[in-house]
Amino acid sequence: MEKTKNLLIDTCLLAGKIMMESGSEVYRVEDTMNRIAENANEPDSKSYVTATGIFMGLKSSHSTQIENVGERNINLEKVEAVNQLSREFAEKSVNLTTLYQQLKKIDKNTPEFPLSIQILSAAFLSAFLMILFGGSWLNFIPTLLIGGVGYSAKHLIKQSFDLRFFDTFLASLVIGLLAFAFTQTNLAVSFDYMCIGAVMPLVPGVAITASLRDTLAGHLVSGLVRGTEAIIVAAAIAIGIACVLSIFGGILT
């Protein structure tokens, strides 16, 4: 019996960890964990989730376990996969052991879009947002190229340096330098709009939204942590562009 309870806690913690690391809101994580426990005939479960750690305990057991939350990314496919497994467990389509094993597979093997598709998407997003913000169609191809190169630089730098926010800073620096180069060679006509469009794939929009939703739901610790993290990312983007402006600002004006 105690072994089953430990497996249940491990399962809930793993589900919560996957969801938190994939960008889910705190209230959704707690709800999923508590539903899994309830569907395993443990209605008196208690969970406490923050942006950096998860606590889980059962009132029928006098022990509480903790799971550390690692690096947080945005992967809504993982969130959906965990929710789907939770629903299947509620419908008794899978048992607790199978649920735990499937969650371990999701944590390690959930497929993502190929890097080439991600870069292409970032490139077209940059170009179309540049137009949306009022830029000229003359900047479309340059912004498309800059956005793709900037996103590629972020990915490569992240693989090479295990230093948070450094990849975002260098990627925005690359974007600023490329925008300056296109402007000076008369291949584009607006440094400002190209930079605005090209940095948009780097902007932590989902993190900001999740921070606000956590705060409004009363999860102040997680809301503040996520909000602070999003602000630092935004500052890294701004500093990267500001470095280019501080060096070449006289030429641009």
Side-chain angles (χ1 to χ4, degrees):
M1 189 69 169
E2 193 65 28
K3 203 171 179 182
T4 302
K5 290 182 179 180
N6 288 335
L7 177 60
L8 174 59
I9 293 177
D10 288 341
T11 302
C12 293
L13 287 173
L14 180 56
K17 177 176 180 287
I18 294 171
M19 294 180 72
M20 281 303 296
E21 291 182 345
S22 301
S24 182
E25 301 91 339
V26 168
Y27 73 88
R28 193 185 305 276
V29 176
E30 290 185 345
D31 181 66
T32 299
M33 293 171 64
N34 291 332
R35 284 179 183 274
I36 291 175
E38 183 177 352
N39 290 317
N41 298 318
E42 291 288 348
D44 293 326
S45 62
K46 295 296 179 182
S47 61
Y48 178 70
V49 178
T50 71
T52 55
I54 301 173
F55 302 78
M56 182 70 187
L58 305 175
K59 280 197 173 181
S60 59
S61 175
H62 299 290
S63 62
T64 300
Q65 294 187 30
I66 305 171
E67 182 67 57
N68 181 55
V69 176
E71 184 173 354
R72 291 168 296 281
N73 296 304
I74 304 301
N75 191 332
L76 299 183
E77 186 171 355
K78 281 190 175 184
V79 176
E80 171 57 27
V82 173
N83 283 331
Q84 180 60 34
L85 272 177
S86 174
R87 287 189 286 269
E88 291 178 5
F89 182 64
E91 296 167 356
K92 310 300 181 184
S93 300
V94 297
N95 58 29
L96 184 61
T97 303
T98 304
L99 174 61
Y100 182 68
Q101 295 300 326
Q102 291 296 322
L103 286 172
K104 290 175 69 174
K105 289 182 180 178
I106 291 172
D107 192 26
K108 296 182 182 299
N109 303 319
T110 298
E112 296 181 350
F113 286 106
L115 181 60
S116 57
I117 298 297
Q118 295 181 40
I119 293 172
L120 192 64
S121 300
F124 277 98
L125 176 67
S126 301
F128 282 114
L129 284 177
M130 181 274 300
I131 297 296
L132 184 64
F133 289 136
S136 169
W137 283 98
L138 295 174
N139 297 327
F140 186 86
I141 298 300
T143 306
L144 186 144
L145 296 174
I146 294 170
V149 172
Y151 190 86
S152 302
K154 182 180 186 300
H155 178 79
L156 291 174
I157 295 164
K158 189 174 182 178
Q159 299 298 317
S160 303
F161 298 95
D162 188 18
L163 184 61
R164 289 180 65 81
F165 314 117
F166 187 63
D167 55 336
T168 304
F169 163 71
L170 286 184
S172 63
L173 184 65
V174 168
I175 288 171
L177 290 173
L178 289 175
F180 172 77
F182 274 105
T183 304
Q184 292 305 299
T185 54
N186 295 321
L187 295 175
V189 296
S190 176
F191 173 86
D192 295 340
Y193 285 115
M194 284 191 295
C195 285
I196 291 171
V199 301
M200 289 309 292
L202 310 180
V203 173
V206 176
I208 294 172
T209 303
S211 170
L212 289 174
R213 294 188 70 174
D214 283 343
T215 302
L216 293 175
H219 300 285
L220 301 181
V221 174
S222 296
L224 287 173
V225 169
R226 279 182 163 168
T228 303
E229 189 175 44
I231 290 171
I232 295 174
V233 172
I237 296 172
I239 292 170
I241 300 299
C243 287
V244 177
L245 289 173
S246 65
I247 298 171
F248 303 108
I251 301 174
L252 288 169
T253 56

